[in-house]
Amino acid sequence: MSNPLANTTPYPMGIHVELADGIYLYDKSGKQYLDLISGIAVSNLGHNHPKIKEAIKNQVDKHLHVMVYGEYHQSIQMKLAEKLCGLLPNGLDVLYPVNSGTEANEAALKLAKRVTGRTELISFKGAYHGSTHGSLSVSGNEEKKSAFEPLLPEVRFLDFNSVEQLNTISTKTAAVIIEPIQGDAGVRIPSKEFMEALRNRCDEVGAMLIFDEIQTGFGRTGKLFAFEHFDVVPDILTIGKAFGGGMPMGGFVSSLANMEQLTFDPKLGHITTFGGHPVCCAAALASLEIIADNSLLEQSEVKGQLFEELLNHSLIKEIRRKGLFFAIEMENAQVVQKVVEGCKERGVLTFWFLSNPQSFRIAPPLIINEEDIRSSCNTILSVMNDIDF
Ligand SMILES: Cc1ncc(COP(=O)(O)O)c(C=O)c1O
């Protein structure tokens, strides 16, 4: 029988996973892989975390889905929202849970249009915000978009990190959406000056500022959220990936006054059947308690520095990094291909970026220890040594 599962690429990594535990994956043959990509910034606490599993099991024993989001009181949703919003600055006081990152961005764009009554959306070159129509419309990669046009109208793209272009944000602009550190463009870190100017400009013209922290959130960059590096707070924060502790979960967070506008004119302005699924909320809460309440965040900068020191090789042109979020820039895409493939052969998982083919990705679980950092870097360096041109 031909494969009844849809493919996303002609060249999938194709590992047949049998088990995942801590920072390791094991395939059907028992081969071990050290996971340096965390399922693309999801498994920030590694795989199979006992506290997350316990929380899931406890919730399973109580109830699964009982009603579409927003109608019944479900304690686990409330506990999660209290914990998360308690860790966020004023103005980010209310969580609306959804099922994925792209859905969080779709809803955030709708909320901005609803609150401002405006229609223009501004994004940045190199951005990635998801694969559904609205999120794709504000993503920068033309090659990935062109087959699906027409997309949303009235979307403009500015150069990332260009203070000068910010003055084109105007009183027509409903929202500016940005990754505070661009992920799939290959870990692009803007200046503090740019982020402050962006906040000021949005305030001046009354545009809503959306931070997409779907990839950078939950400790990936050494802070709970990347916006903390810049001391700039968005009007809407979108989250996903590591939020669910390995379960499918997204969310958007804003003020009560903003969020209430989704309840009238029209009422049910944004709805979801499975958003805030109780089992996902249980996993998300357990994960957030662990990430926020221990030293993993502080350690991630130290661990990141160790990676950076060890990855010293003539083939490496540049390392862009914040915390444990890395782009390793090589000469070209062919070299990247050889490194990613070679590492996989030798039991270390790295990966590509969507919009930066000459870099490869490292984003390990935050729980990775020194020994595993050293051994994985040795493997990467040995693969680079053995590349023949
Ligand atoms: C910054 C960012 N936004 C949005 C998304 C989309 O999230 P999802 O794949 O959960 O829809 C991603 C996924 O890679 C992302 O990195």
Side-chain angles (χ1 to χ4, degrees):
M1 186 178 152
S2 63
N3 181 4
L5 274 175
N7 279 328
T8 57
T9 157
Y11 317 107
M13 279 194 105
I15 295 168
H16 197 149
V17 179
E18 181 69 13
L19 183 78
D21 193 46
I23 61 160
Y24 293 103
L25 265 66
Y26 301 86
D27 74 9
K28 286 267 175 205
S29 73
K31 179 172 174 180
Q32 176 183 274
Y33 296 88
L34 197 159
D35 182 3
L36 287 188
I37 47 177
S38 312
I40 311 301
V42 169
S43 315
N44 283 6
L45 292 176
H47 304 277
N48 218 7
H49 196 288
K51 292 224 165 91
I52 298 177
K53 282 203 310 191
E54 192 192 333
I56 290 173
K57 285 178 183 160
N58 287 342
Q59 183 56 44
V60 165
D61 286 342
K62 288 187 184 149
H63 63 89
L64 304 183
H65 174 86
V66 283
M67 184 49 172
V68 299
Y69 176 71
E71 296 290 339
Y72 292 175
H73 185 96
Q74 298 182 46
S75 313
I76 191 72
Q77 293 176 343
M78 186 59 77
K79 282 188 192 154
L80 173 62
E82 278 169 2
K83 177 75 189 169
L84 177 69
C85 297
L87 292 163
L88 288 168
N90 284 345
L92 297 175
D93 312 313
V94 178
L95 166 72
Y96 190 133
V98 292
N99 305 284
S100 66
T102 195
E103 202 184 325
N105 285 333
E106 295 284 343
L109 297 173
K110 281 174 66 186
L111 177 60
K113 284 179 156 181
R114 170 68 183 85
V115 170
T116 60
R118 304 175 186 175
T119 45
E120 182 186 63
L121 301 170
I122 291 187
S123 181
F124 291 88
K125 292 175 192 163
Y128 181 70
H129 295 296
S131 201
T132 54
H133 270 82
S135 303
L136 193 60
S137 304
V138 290
S139 296
N141 190 323
E142 289 303 328
E143 189 203 330
K144 298 276 190 299
K145 289 196 288 190
S146 58
F148 307 108
E149 281 162 354
L151 294 171
L152 279 184
E154 295 186 64
V155 178
R156 283 198 297 119
F157 290 87
L158 307 183
D159 288 337
F160 189 71
N161 208 21
S162 162
V163 174
E164 299 79 64
Q165 293 186 13
L166 296 177
N167 59 19
T168 67
I169 301 168
S170 76
T171 51
K172 293 201 177 83
T173 311
V176 180
I177 183 165
I178 188 169
E179 299 154 85
I181 294 176
Q182 282 192 332
D184 287 307
V187 185
R188 306 286 166 179
I189 305 165
S191 68
K192 193 162 188 290
E193 182 205 2
F194 169 78
M195 294 298 275
E196 286 168 355
L198 173 60
R199 175 70 274 178
N200 289 340
R201 183 64 187 165
C202 287
D203 287 342
E204 263 163 38
V205 297
M208 295 191 82
L209 182 55
I210 303 171
F211 281 174
D212 174 344
E213 292 242 24
I214 287 156
Q215 193 159 174
T216 50
F218 301 95
R220 173 55 50 208
T221 71
K223 303 264 187 199
L224 190 56
F225 291 101
F227 71 73
E228 296 168 48
H229 294 290
F230 306 100
D231 290 325
V232 168
V233 178
D235 300 300
I236 308 174
L237 174 70
T238 61
I239 51 181
K241 288 191 180 274
F243 181 32
M247 296 293 276
M249 185 88 184
F252 58 109
V253 188
S254 193
S255 69
L256 178 62
N258 290 337
M259 213 60 111
E260 275 186 341
Q261 300 204 35
L262 293 175
T263 65
F264 64 95
D265 265 353
K267 89 178 175 192
L268 305 173
H270 191 77
I271 49 175
T272 160
T273 298
F274 282 126
H277 190 283
V279 179
C280 301
C281 286
L285 178 59
S287 168
L288 182 56
E289 281 171 345
I290 299 163
I291 292 176
D293 297 349
N294 77 20
S295 57
L296 278 176
L297 293 178
E298 292 144 43
Q299 288 167 19
S300 77
E301 182 55 30
V302 177
K303 291 175 182 177
Q305 277 170 19
L306 180 60
F307 266 108
E308 204 171 330
E309 275 164 35
L310 294 171
L311 289 176
N312 184 1
H313 195 281
S314 58
L315 287 182
I316 297 176
K317 302 290 163 218
E318 186 186 28
I319 296 181
R320 293 181 295 279
R321 177 185 74 81
K322 202 79 179 165
L324 282 167
F325 193 30
F326 291 80
I328 314 291
E329 178 112 356
M330 312 299 288
E331 186 73 46
N332 55 45
Q334 287 70 34
V335 182
V336 166
Q337 184 71 17
K338 287 183 179 173
V339 173
V340 174
E341 287 294 337
C343 284
K344 181 183 133 187
E345 287 301 307
R346 294 180 199 188
V348 169
L349 300 177
T350 61
F351 205 64
W352 298 266
F353 289 102
L354 282 174
S355 302
N356 185 220
Q358 64 276 22
S359 300
F360 69 92
R361 168 196 300 271
I362 294 179
L366 310 180
I367 58 167
I368 193 169
N369 64 27
E370 185 179 333
E371 196 186 331
D372 288 321
I373 295 173
R374 289 187 185 278
S375 86
S376 58
C377 287
N378 281 341
T379 303
I380 295 169
L381 295 174
S382 74
V383 168
M384 290 179 181
N385 285 338
D386 292 349
I387 290 177
D388 49 22
F389 292 94

